[in-house]
Amino acid sequence: MWKSVLKLSSNGNEVIAQLPSEFSKGLALEKALLNKMLVELNAQSFFVDDSAVAQFIKCAASAKGEAFSGITIAAIKDATSEVILTERDMIASIKVTGAYGGSPLQPHDIIKSLTQSRVIKGLNKKALKKVLLLSRQLQAGESYVQPVAIGRRPKEGKDAQFIPLVTDPKKRVLMPQASGESDKVDMRDLGDIVTVGENEQVMKRIPALKGENGFTVTGAVIPPKPVKDHPLKPGTGTKFSPDNPNTLLSTMSGMPIIKSSGVEIDEALCLSQVDISTGHIKFKGCVVISGNIEPNMEVIATGSITVGGFVESATLKSKGDIIVSKGIIGHNVDDGEPKSCVIESGGDVVANYAQFAKVSSQGDIHFKVHSLNNDIVCGGDLLVTGSGKKQGILSGGEAVVGGKVVCNQLGVEGDTATYIKAFAQYQTYQDGLNTLQQRYKALQESKMKAIRREIELKKIPKSARTEEQNKELEVLNSSNTEALDALNTEKERLELELFAKLELNTVASLVQTHTRVTVVFDEEKITTKNTHGPASFSFNKHMIHFAPKLKEEDLTV
């Protein structure tokens, strides 16, 4: 039946379905038989418009006018190309669809598609040639996607780097020296005490390297991240090298203090040891002692104190760092009696180990081997970590730590109790939030009082108001909410900062957690009654969360 309604257009490029006038009552057609007739018309490769076919079948069945006027149901179609942009315009691909009896793609077809999509950068000529070739090889209606252009990511630059040319005295303690033919590490040999002489290079700066712009395939420029090109900063005891402005030289002998973008040299008093022959030491500057500090001696300095040997039952007080190459040793005393060894630092405390001592610092405290039965107050982090699993033991005594606690072994086997008050700064944050809340409440009450007074004054007719009442109304300015908004902003900032600190300031044991370890956050506390592997203690403002890293028995509180 299709044979009676199908014909080719005059140019042979289309197949038209038209119902002859004699079928005035309509004609039932089956779509499944259409392909056979298209073959007879030599139009089997034409593009068949399924919607047009369905429309004609429906119109022919009901003898509607559209069926008698004719509907184009198939036609020759040239190969087509469509540009697809992906990865935020970083990749342009061409989707090529094979021709339905028509012509393959021509170069001007591809150029037109790219131009319409504004693709102008990163084009690959070989990929474009492949698209032309594919348009000849693909079957009718078959499609293939070929990437033809790739943008360029920006080349990121590098921030300015500051490289110390002298050893950091704090790091030296944590790096024992290899010696002898066998290159074995001697835990007692930490090398020479770090000091510098006059006119020595102490730090160099590598200037920032600017990045290079990238681009999308549409030509949009992608700038690199800005680099930080901080300048080199000479400090006390240092100057720029006359030969190289990116190098600092020392102007005096003393102890180097490594800063983020410079070095300071503090005047140093160098001694072989401190004992009864030297007497107590009080010095404005750094004190460098190559040997030991004997019992009952005192060393007080405005700068750092560096000890190459041991500190035994002595008192050290410094506004800077206190660095002890070997050990801090006190003696066991009865409860209530003061510790025989006292270390007080305005900066960090770094030592190989400490035992039976009172150690306080405004910065961090770092012990390599162990911390045994010490009373510790730490404004920053407490780190007890060594190179091996048997090192890094934090056990006994009490530690009040402003930041986080990290150790390899937490607690000890036996009856020795270990007490840690973690994130001691928590109450400071809470007090700050409470103060802001009280200020907000007071300001809000004041604002409401002003609004009520303003309403009272506005009830008085303008003509009846006194000059004083008009001035009072101007001053009230009840619509001003800037102070309330500022307090809200400050409160949100402090709450976010507290949340970040809670995430960071935890207590973590990297190897093992023993019994009788009490961890306190704010007024909450938890005590271990079983031995566990690696574990962490964290706080969410309401409760302490204990998380053993290995599957073991639950913690009993």
Side-chain angles (χ1 to χ4, degrees):
M1 300 300 290
W2 281 102
K3 186 173 183 178
S4 60
V5 298
L6 294 183
K7 64 178 181 179
L8 288 173
S9 62
S10 58
N11 59 11
N13 291 338
E14 297 177 342
V15 175
I16 300 171
Q18 187 175 18
L19 193 66
S21 57
E22 58 264 27
F23 292 100
S24 57
K25 293 183 178 181
L27 178 66
L29 296 169
E30 296 182 24
K31 184 180 179 182
L33 301 175
L34 175 61
N35 288 339
K36 183 178 179 181
M37 187 57 201
L38 291 176
V39 172
E40 290 186 17
L41 292 174
N42 200 28
Q44 65 272 16
S45 62
F46 284 25
F47 171 74
V48 178
D49 188 340
D50 291 331
S51 61
V53 172
Q55 182 185 1
F56 180 77
I57 290 175
K58 183 178 179 181
C59 292
S62 56
K64 288 186 177 180
E66 287 179 271
F68 293 102
S69 60
I71 296 175
T72 300
I73 63 168
I76 288 175
K77 284 185 70 175
D78 295 337
T80 60
S81 61
E82 176 191 359
V83 176
I84 303 170
L85 298 177
T86 56
E87 299 290 332
R88 297 184 179 182
D89 294 352
M90 291 301 292
I91 298 177
S93 303
I94 290 182
K95 181 180 179 181
V96 55
T97 303
Y100 290 87
S103 302
L105 288 176
Q106 301 300 317
H108 67 267
D109 296 324
I110 295 177
I111 293 171
K112 182 179 179 181
S113 295
L114 293 171
T115 302
Q116 289 174 344
S117 298
R118 296 172 298 154
V119 176
I120 58 174
K121 299 279 283 185
L123 291 166
N124 186 311
K125 292 182 179 179
K126 289 184 177 179
L128 293 173
K129 289 180 180 178
K130 184 177 179 180
V131 170
L132 290 172
L133 181 62
L134 285 168
S135 72
R136 301 175 186 275
Q137 297 176 343
L138 292 174
Q139 299 296 320
E142 184 183 2
S143 61
Y144 185 86
V145 178
Q146 172 64 44
V148 296
I150 299 176
R152 188 177 71 192
R153 299 287 179 188
K155 184 178 179 181
E156 300 298 345
K158 292 183 179 180
D159 295 340
Q161 300 178 61
F162 300 90
I163 302 174
L165 301 177
V166 292
T167 304
D168 188 338
K170 286 187 286 186
K171 293 180 180 178
R172 168 187 168 275
V173 174
L174 305 173
M175 295 187 298
Q177 305 295 307
S179 61
E181 295 180 359
S182 60
D183 250 5
K184 288 184 178 180
V185 172
D186 185 350
M187 295 300 296
R188 298 167 298 178
D189 181 11
L190 296 161
D192 296 330
I193 294 290
V194 179
T195 57
V196 297
E198 187 177 350
N199 214 37
E200 288 187 19
Q201 293 185 354
V202 292
M203 177 172 278
K204 70 176 180 180
R205 170 182 176 269
I206 299 177
L209 180 65
K210 291 185 178 180
E212 297 178 7
N213 287 337
F215 54 79
T216 67
V217 294
T218 59
V221 175
I222 307 174
K225 294 178 183 177
V227 295
K228 298 176 182 178
D229 197 14
H230 297 306
L232 190 63
K233 296 178 182 178
T236 303
T238 58
K239 66 176 183 179
F240 290 115
S241 168
D243 302 323
N244 185 350
N246 286 312
T247 301
L248 286 182
L249 300 179
S250 59
T251 60
M252 58 184 286
S253 300
M255 173 71 65
I257 302 172
I258 310 298
K259 304 290 185 178
S260 60
S261 57
V263 177
E264 293 181 357
I265 308 298
D266 207 341
E267 186 179 357
L269 171 64
C270 298
L271 301 167
S272 59
Q273 63 181 21
V274 174
D275 57 18
I276 194 170
S277 66
T278 62
H280 300 318
I281 303 298
K282 292 184 180 180
F283 187 71
K284 291 182 178 180
C286 294
V287 176
V288 178
I289 301 154
S290 58
N292 303 327
I293 299 179
E294 298 297 330
N296 303 316
M297 303 309 299
E298 292 184 3
V299 178
I300 300 174
T302 59
S304 62
I305 298 175
T306 302
V307 182
F310 295 94
V311 175
E312 183 177 359
S313 294
T315 298
L316 275 64
K317 296 181 181 181
S318 170
K319 292 183 179 179
D321 299 331
I322 294 180
I323 303 161
V324 180
S325 297
K326 295 184 179 177
I328 298 170
I329 305 169
H331 295 287
N332 200 1
V333 295
D334 295 332
D335 291 340
E337 291 187 14
K339 297 288 187 182
S340 63
C341 192
V342 177
I343 308 294
E344 296 180 7
S345 168
D348 297 341
V349 173
V350 179
N352 218 23
Y353 64 86
Q355 58 193 42
F356 300 106
K358 180 180 179 181
V359 183
S360 64
S361 77
Q362 293 185 20
D364 298 337
I365 295 178
H366 192 173
F367 300 129
K368 181 181 177 70
V369 178
H370 63 239
S371 172
L372 304 180
N373 297 292
N374 296 303
D375 290 342
I376 293 173
V377 177
C378 175
D381 300 334
L382 173 59
L383 309 173
V384 188
T385 54
S387 54
K389 292 183 178 180
K390 292 184 179 181
Q391 293 186 347
I393 301 169
L394 172 58
S395 67
E398 297 185 1
V400 179
V401 182
K404 65 183 176 182
V405 178
V406 180
C407 62
N408 285 349
Q409 302 271 352
L410 180 56
V412 67
E413 294 179 3
D415 293 330
T416 302
T418 304
Y419 178 93
I420 297 174
K421 182 172 178 60
F423 188 29
Q425 297 174 358
Y426 175 78
Q427 192 57 50
T428 303
Y429 280 93
Q430 283 296 92
D431 291 343
L433 287 170
N434 291 337
T435 300
L436 287 174
Q437 183 61 34
Q438 290 171 5
R439 287 173 56 195
Y440 183 85
K441 185 178 178 181
L443 193 61
Q444 202 169 35
E445 289 175 355
S446 175
K447 177 180 171 61
M448 293 306 298
K449 184 178 178 180
I451 290 173
R452 287 192 291 269
R453 178 59 179 161
E454 185 178 5
I455 292 171
E456 289 176 7
L457 291 172
K458 285 183 176 179
K459 286 180 180 179
I460 302 173
K462 279 187 178 182
S463 58
R465 288 182 205 154
T466 65
E467 186 177 345
E468 289 76 9
Q469 288 174 331
N470 284 328
K471 287 181 178 179
E472 184 183 357
L473 192 59
E474 290 177 9
V475 171
L476 286 173
N477 190 22
S478 62
S479 61
N480 184 10
T481 60
E482 290 181 3
L484 285 170
D485 291 342
L487 277 176
N488 256 338
T489 301
E490 176 62 17
K491 186 180 175 184
E492 289 175 4
R493 184 200 65 77
L494 199 58
E495 285 174 340
L496 286 172
E497 186 176 337
L498 175 57
F499 177 77
K501 292 282 187 179
L502 286 170
E503 289 284 317
L504 180 66
N505 293 326
T506 62
V507 176
S509 61
L510 306 180
V511 177
Q512 198 165 28
T513 309
H514 295 280
T515 59
R516 299 198 66 193
V517 173
T518 299
V519 175
V520 177
F521 285 92
D522 193 28
E523 296 180 355
E524 298 296 315
K525 75 175 182 178
I526 192 169
T527 301
T528 59
K529 293 186 178 179
N530 296 301
T531 298
H532 301 267
S536 66
F537 301 79
S538 58
F539 185 54
N540 64 1
K541 296 176 67 173
H542 304 292
M543 62 180 293
I544 298 173
H545 178 61
F546 173 75
K549 302 290 178 66
L550 304 176
K551 292 183 178 180
E552 301 180 60
E553 64 272 27
D554 291 336
L555 179 71
T556 304
V557 179

